[in-house]
Amino acid sequence: MPTSHPPRPPYPPPGQGPGESDEALAAGTRGGTDTEVAQSTALLIARHWRPVQEYAAVCLASTTSAASAAMVTTAAFHQVLDRLKLGEPGTALRPRLLVTVRDTVRLWAADEQLSGVLPDLRKPAGARGMRTAKSMTPDNRVLTERSFQNLPPVARCVLWHVEVEAEPITVAAGLLGMDPETVTAAHEQAREKLREGCVRAHRELAPSKDCRFYNRLLDVPMRRGGDLLPDVRQHLDACRYCRAAAEQLGHFEGDLGVLLAEAVLGWGARRYVESRPGRVRQQPVRLRGSARHRGRRARDRRATLLARIPSPRRRGQDGGPAAQRTLFKGVGLASAGLLTTLLAAGLWPDDGGADPAAATSSTTGGGVASGADSQGGRPSAAPSSPGTAPVPATLREARLRNAAADLCLDIRGGARAGAAVELADCSTEPSQRWTYEDDGRLRSAAAPELCVDSHADAGVVIMGACADSADTRADDVRYDLTVQGELLPRWDEALALASAGQEPGADVVVKVRDHSTGQRWLPETAVASPGSLSITGTEAPPARPVDLAERRA
């Protein structure tokens, strides 16, 4: 039975090698001589005893008597050490010990005989209150708790000791038996994985289709420090679940340690976090020089992000996003074929010299032939009537300029599968060249096997494989282009491709179609192609947006 008052050297002991990690010590409790087992057990207790006992005092609401907290701590260590001997991993031991303390106090509080012996178990602010609580994890921390528990043990260890305990990275490195540089990199990765897990949990646990739809549209602007889209804010007005998700994501720009403690411990989490010696030691540093300003900026940024999350209020009579989508479906253009014809005739003109509008004005004989030309094997177009220009089936390359941001559609980091689609300063880069096909695929000219995919990443537009028409994902990479320049995903034509911001690097997303300029994409014939007016050795004429009114005049 471990003693309730073991020695308390600084943890982890200075100068320890890789063989003295928590995992190595846990392995030492499973075998070897009695002396080796006792030594490993004593070192584990010495490293973790003090914070575990302090949390026991928080759970018991005890500030004067240490006896009850010591008893709870001893019982918690006994349980965890027994599990280690049975083969449970020893990594990320601290949060496991703390949770065991919490559960032990709650269990003891339900025992009338124990409550009679230990008066601390009767306090409403402590064990008695814990006994009546429905759950130890608050409803507004479920996503973070789920994400944290799904992380690898190394990530949980690093996050807990760096973020919650506010200890130097060298402490986590010692507990893991790793070098500080490796643990520093692991810390950054763990933060990102925790956030990704929260976003994934929000989608998996979403109570409605609307919540799933707004999943990434909620995460991406907050990650970039931008404003939430208006329809996202409208959804947050009515959805408590998504407001809680937004609030949790906001902590990643501020004090992540508080969020983690509340998610994992629940009861008394803030009091435990505030008692951490690492936070007390950091305080004087934060009051000096640039560190002070960095801390203030982080707090201000988090406050700004959280201020963007709407508070609950009564909804108006205009209905929510689902109603808006239904309305837009009723007024949308009915025929994908009509949209394609309008696109070919008006938005992506061929330099044939005739009026492209004439191709859509005739009611007889119009359409695209299914044959192929003799040179390129590409489908050829039959004219609608004598004297009119043919409607091309496969359209030539062009840039797409967003009407609101005056920036062009681009691929972040180059054309590759999974790369995000973004706005960028218009240029002649191959990643800004697009072709629109007669079946609605918006294909990258830089990587013809890739098309714009608006469905694979929950509303954030990325590059994906150009699916065939028989593929179940065919509509994910197909769009109808209206005469206003809106790109409507065929998997839900009440939506439209839009920019998430008006600065270079802003993501392109799908949102409820609202006919705004941020949802208009103006083709520009910036790239020379066979049959164009560009001449070798001369500069091409400057690109200009295609004016629909001019084309149809």
Side-chain angles (χ1 to χ4, degrees), residues 31-381:
T33 64
D34 291 344
T35 301
E36 292 171 341
V37 172
Q39 183 181 23
S40 297
T41 301
L43 282 173
L44 287 174
I45 294 173
R47 288 178 176 182
H48 300 286
W49 176 273
R50 185 171 183 176
V52 175
Q53 186 183 29
E54 289 171 349
Y55 181 57
V58 170
C59 291
L60 293 166
S62 175
T63 57
T64 55
S65 174
S68 298
M71 290 180 64
V72 171
T73 306
T74 301
F77 267 99
H78 189 70
Q79 295 176 50
V80 173
L81 289 171
D82 280 349
R83 294 198 294 267
L84 293 181
K85 292 177 183 179
L86 294 175
E88 192 172 281
T91 306
L93 201 56
R94 181 72 57 78
R96 210 179 320 163
L97 285 164
L98 296 172
V99 169
T100 304
V101 162
R102 182 200 67 192
D103 294 344
T104 299
V105 171
R106 194 181 187 196
L107 179 65
W108 285 9
D111 190 306
E112 295 297 335
Q113 185 174 0
L114 281 174
S115 297
V117 176
L118 299 175
D120 285 337
L121 295 174
R122 300 177 181 176
K123 295 181 178 180
R128 184 178 171 185
M130 294 174 66
R131 183 181 63 182
T132 59
K134 294 181 179 180
S135 172
M136 291 293 97
T137 302
D139 291 341
N140 62 348
R141 294 293 180 262
V142 170
L143 304 182
T144 306
E145 194 273 340
R146 178 178 175 135
S147 177
F148 182 79
Q149 298 302 337
N150 286 336
L151 291 175
V154 170
R156 295 201 303 271
C157 179
V158 174
L159 284 176
W160 190 268
H161 286 276
V162 175
E163 301 291 347
V164 179
E165 306 284 344
E167 294 171 337
I169 201 75
T170 52
V171 172
L175 295 173
L176 291 167
M178 300 164 63
D179 62 272
E181 291 77 14
T182 301
V183 176
T184 300
H187 174 231
E188 295 302 319
Q189 294 175 4
R191 283 181 62 96
E192 183 60 27
K193 290 295 182 184
L194 181 70
R195 182 172 192 135
E196 290 176 0
C198 288
V199 175
R200 183 169 56 253
H202 173 262
R203 182 172 63 249
E204 293 172 349
L205 302 177
S208 70
K209 180 181 178 181
D210 283 344
C211 296
R212 288 189 294 272
F213 171 75
Y214 288 117
N215 176 259
R216 289 296 301 276
L217 299 181
L218 180 66
D219 172 53
V220 172
M222 295 189 70
R223 183 189 295 269
R224 295 180 175 275
D227 291 328
L228 297 177
L229 297 172
D231 48 323
V232 178
R233 294 181 61 87
Q234 183 181 11
H235 176 72
L236 293 183
D237 281 344
C239 183
R240 179 181 178 184
Y241 173 79
C242 289
R243 283 200 306 274
E247 192 269 335
Q248 289 172 80
L249 292 175
H251 276 275
F252 282 83
E253 305 300 332
D255 196 341
L256 183 58
V258 172
L259 175 69
L260 277 175
E262 291 178 343
V264 176
L265 303 179
W267 192 272
R270 283 186 176 269
R271 282 176 287 166
Y272 176 75
V273 169
E274 292 168 358
S275 70
R276 297 301 79 220
R279 292 178 176 267
V280 175
R281 287 194 299 269
Q282 286 180 357
Q283 189 63 30
V285 177
R286 289 175 179 169
L287 296 178
R288 297 197 301 266
S290 60
R292 175 183 181 182
H293 297 292
R294 285 196 300 270
R296 180 179 297 170
R297 284 198 300 268
R299 290 191 297 272
D300 291 346
R301 186 179 181 192
R302 177 172 174 264
T304 302
L305 287 172
L306 295 182
R308 297 192 183 107
I309 302 172
S311 58
R313 66 174 185 262
R314 180 170 178 159
R315 304 187 70 183
Q317 302 301 318
D318 56 344
Q324 292 177 19
R325 287 203 293 271
T326 302
L327 174 63
F328 286 133
K329 283 183 179 179
V331 300
L333 293 176
S335 169
L338 173 61
L339 286 168
T340 302
T341 305
L342 290 174
L343 164 70
L347 293 179
W348 292 71
D350 195 11
D351 290 335
D355 181 9
T360 60
S361 62
S362 174
T363 59
T364 61
V368 177
S370 59
D373 63 25
S374 59
Q375 296 179 358
R378 294 165 63 179
S380 61

Side-chain angles (χ1 to χ4, degrees), residues 12-35:
Q16 68 174 22
E20 295 178 77
S21 65
D22 274 1
E23 178 57 41
L25 294 176
T29 66
R30 304 180 190 118
T33 64
D34 291 344
T35 301

